Amino acid sequence: MFDAKVYSERRNRLRQKINNGIILFLGNPESPMNYPSNTFHFRQDSSFLYYFGLDMPNIAGILDVDENKDYLFGDNFDLDDIIWMGPQPSMKELGKTVGVKNAEPYGHLVEKLHDAIEKGRKIHFLPPYRGETILLLEDLLGINQNLIQSYVSKDLIKAVVAMRSIKDTHEIEELEKAANIAYEMHVTAMKMAKPGTYEREITGVVEGIPVSQGGMISFPIILTQNGETLHNHYHGNKLEEGKMMLTDTGAETPMHYASDCTRTVPVGGKFNQRQKDIYQIVLEANNKAREATKPGITYLSVHTLAVKTVVEGLKNLGLMKGDVNAAVEQGAHAMFMPHGLGHMMGLDVHDMEGLGEDYVGYDEETKRGSIFGFSGLRLGRKLQPGFVLTNEPGTYFIPELIKRWKEQGKFTEFINYDKVESYIGFGGVRLEDDILVTQDGCRILGDKRIPITPEEVEETMNG
Ligand code: GLY
Ligand code: MN
Ligand code: MN
């Protein structure tokens, strides 16, 4: 946990951004897997962690804007808990660690909220994303569960997004740690990518790395020799010579700051020419995007630069043709890169996505594009120092998409379908780094960049 001061200051700043009323943060409860006491690994709500720091179930926090006071609600552990869980601090002691003086039993939360409702005070809360939380809000606020989403506070969403978007030095230190764990995960995966090895064997070892350092994975591992499926979580294939293994994985530190990196490597450790040709295009898109990333420019423009680089490269290989700008304007690139260049990252791997993608990635000035090839871009708005984001261009050969677009006669002026069809079975390449926007540019997080040039990758795999 950070120092208590960090959390007090964050809450003070948030209170100043909200005119009046009370701000309610509900921590997450445990979530059962297959019977009530057999639960998924506990994950605290990220906004709760940001303002109240406590990583445990069944607690809630309130910022009373009018009274200028913070409250923590949670029950002390009883003897039975202590028998099963060992000695536990009291709520008062826990409150002190995050700068909250007023620690009260959970039951008092209802009283505090009912009192506010009776007085007609505004209760600000963030969009819930778990069924249990929706039901709890229904119970606490007397709002029908189907209407809860329409009562969320837009002012609170905007204030929280404004604060969590700019990472402070404590947070950057944590994100660096997460990046360093991702380095280990990826280098380990590269060394294991030998023909005859099952994807699941590598997945198991990679997942153990953040766990062994007190953390966990930041999202379910994507590790596959069929990288054309963007979020492929099937790990049952035996790796074959001639295929590429795409690994998209990252860690959460014990404080839950994330990393999210992708590398794509030739099974067996040696690129063939066809693999190298596609790989170099994605690498160039990644490098150009990073070189262009700086405060004051929109990530939409960086996305556009990256997809133009991909189109230019595919044109050189004879897979695309025609005018590059026109191809991108119309969305022909989406055949090969159907996803966005990147997203914010922090306490969530897709940072704050639960608060609403458009609040996080767009603003009054930059609106989300509507055509396929732009509409999926999670982050489009102007960049600011302190933003942490991913840079993850890719090039994929997706058989169903090729087949459908060819049947529809789509973009025949830009796509050489005959040549593209000869790449069916190639898979896909994605190269993803985590980036901090600085005062005058950006830098990759972590002590060392995960091996990325074909030479570095081959050396790592064979070294
Ligand atoms: N977690 C997948 C990605 O955004 O890269
Ligand atoms: Mn990723
Ligand atoms: Mn990502």
Side-chain angles (χ1 to χ4, degrees):
M1 237 163 42
F2 298 130
D3 195 84
K5 259 201 337 265
V6 171
Y7 301 102
S8 299
E9 278 168 14
R10 286 177 182 171
R11 291 191 302 269
N12 286 341
R13 276 175 55 211
L14 181 62
R15 254 192 266 103
Q16 282 159 17
K17 284 175 179 283
I18 300 292
N19 286 340
N20 53 43
I22 66 178
I23 306 170
L24 169 65
F25 286 106
L26 293 175
N28 277 333
E30 294 277 17
S31 189
M33 283 196 293
N34 51 341
Y35 54 92
S37 68
N38 202 26
T39 56
F40 288 105
H41 185 78
F42 175 70
R43 177 56 160 83
Q44 183 58 288
D45 174 74
S46 296
S47 290
F48 191 88
L49 281 175
Y50 188 81
Y51 292 105
F52 285 91
L54 297 174
D55 194 3
M56 54 187 282
N58 305 326
I59 49 178
I62 276 186
L63 279 65
D64 193 318
V65 179
D66 310 314
E67 279 183 7
N68 206 22
K69 260 190 190 169
D70 302 330
Y71 296 85
L72 188 65
F73 297 92
D75 292 328
N76 282 324
F77 294 92
D78 61 19
L79 185 60
D80 198 45
D81 295 325
I82 290 165
I83 290 168
W84 289 95
M85 300 158 63
Q88 301 293 326
S90 69
M91 285 312 298
K92 239 191 161 63
E93 287 163 334
L94 287 167
K96 227 184 256 169
T97 64
V98 291
V100 182
K101 288 197 201 87
N102 310 293
E104 303 196 8
Y106 202 85
H108 289 192
L109 176 63
V110 185
E111 290 165 26
K112 175 90 186 154
L113 291 171
H114 283 188
D115 179 62
I117 292 166
E118 266 172 31
K119 293 186 173 128
R121 299 176 69 199
K122 171 84 182 158
I123 299 171
H124 299 268
F125 62 92
L126 294 173
Y129 51 89
R130 289 193 187 188
E132 301 95 309
T133 313
I134 294 172
L135 294 178
L136 179 61
L137 283 166
E138 177 176 68
D139 200 36
L140 291 171
L141 304 177
I143 301 169
N144 181 284
Q145 55 182 278
N146 299 312
L147 299 176
I148 290 284
Q149 295 292 355
S150 54
Y151 279 84
V152 301
S153 167
K154 294 195 175 61
D155 290 343
L156 180 61
I157 293 173
K158 287 180 186 163
V160 169
V161 168
M163 288 183 67
R164 284 182 55 190
S165 292
I166 311 285
K167 273 65 184 179
D168 64 26
T169 50
H170 308 288
E171 295 186 283
I172 292 163
E173 268 176 40
E174 280 299 307
L175 288 157
E176 299 272 14
K177 286 183 205 163
N180 288 337
I181 304 172
Y183 181 98
E184 247 185 83
M185 295 162 84
H186 279 278
V187 166
T188 301
M190 285 181 193
K191 289 182 193 293
M192 288 184 76
K194 310 253 189 251
T197 304
Y198 280 92
E199 295 161 344
R200 60 173 182 262
E201 296 176 67
I202 308 174
T203 305
V205 172
V206 168
E207 182 154 350
I209 293 171
V211 175
S212 74
Q213 300 189 34
M216 59 194 235
I217 45 170
S218 53
F219 61 96
I221 297 183
I222 298 162
L223 187 152
T224 176
Q225 63 182 354
N226 299 320
E228 74 280 9
T229 301
L230 301 183
H231 280 179
N232 199 333
H233 298 299
Y234 177 73
H235 304 133
N237 297 305
K238 197 193 262 191
L239 295 180
E240 293 164 27
E241 190 90 50
K243 299 285 281 184
M244 297 188 90
M245 182 179 84
L246 184 152
T247 306
D248 182 352
T249 189
E252 267 192 13
T253 62
M255 285 187 61
H256 301 289
Y257 282 89
S259 54
D260 175 12
C261 300
T262 308
R263 289 296 184 263
T264 313
V265 303
V267 172
K270 183 96 189 97
F271 286 88
N272 63 35
Q273 193 55 47
R274 210 156 91 128
Q275 291 171 336
K276 203 179 261 185
D277 289 343
I278 299 296
Y279 190 92
Q280 291 284 18
I281 293 171
V282 181
L283 182 54
E284 198 186 346
N286 173 302
N287 284 332
K288 277 197 173 166
R290 188 188 65 260
E291 285 157 15
T293 296
K294 61 177 180 193
I297 62 157
T298 66
Y299 213 47
L300 173 60
S301 70
V302 184
H303 171 84
T304 306
L305 172 71
V307 296
K308 279 186 184 168
T309 308
V310 168
V311 172
E312 194 75 59
L314 293 174
K315 210 179 134 176
N316 290 338
L317 285 182
L319 288 155
M320 291 191 79
K321 58 189 172 180
D323 183 65
V324 172
N325 290 335
V328 168
E329 253 161 50
Q330 292 171 46
H333 63 279
M335 160 75 84
F336 305 98
M337 185 173 150
H339 60 73
L341 183 64
H343 50 84
M344 292 276 217
M345 198 184 68
L347 277 165
D348 304 303
V349 65
H350 288 183
D351 210 21
M352 303 171 277
E353 196 163 289
L355 304 187
E357 260 190 46
D358 283 349
Y359 288 111
V360 180
Y362 293 88
D363 56 19
E364 283 308 311
E365 213 179 321
T366 312
K367 296 287 172 206
R368 185 187 285 269
S370 56
I371 62 166
F372 184 42
F374 286 93
S375 55
L377 177 61
R378 293 190 160 97
L379 172 63
R381 69 178 159 125
K382 228 178 228 177
L383 304 174
Q384 297 172 42
F387 278 19
V388 168
L389 43 96
T390 65
N391 169 21
E392 50 179 307
T395 296
Y396 313 87
F397 295 90
I398 305 169
E400 191 63 27
L401 190 57
I402 297 168
K403 179 169 162 269
R404 296 241 186 136
W405 279 24
K406 188 184 178 190
E407 278 167 10
Q408 292 164 9
K410 239 178 139 165
F411 297 130
T412 48
E413 68 276 42
F414 301 122
I415 296 170
N416 281 323
Y417 280 98
D418 290 346
K419 181 115 194 207
V420 170
E421 278 176 330
S422 74
Y423 277 71
I424 287 177
F426 177 93
V429 175
R430 179 161 66 250
L431 296 172
E432 178 177 25
D433 292 319
D434 299 337
I435 279 177
L436 167 69
V437 180
T438 57
Q439 290 301 325
D440 53 2
C442 71
R443 67 178 175 82
I444 297 173
L445 288 170
D447 295 339
K448 288 179 287 187
R449 190 183 193 185
I450 300 167
I452 195 162
T453 65
E455 298 72 33
E456 287 165 355
V457 168
E458 287 184 355
E459 202 185 304
T460 305
M461 296 180 80
N462 297 300

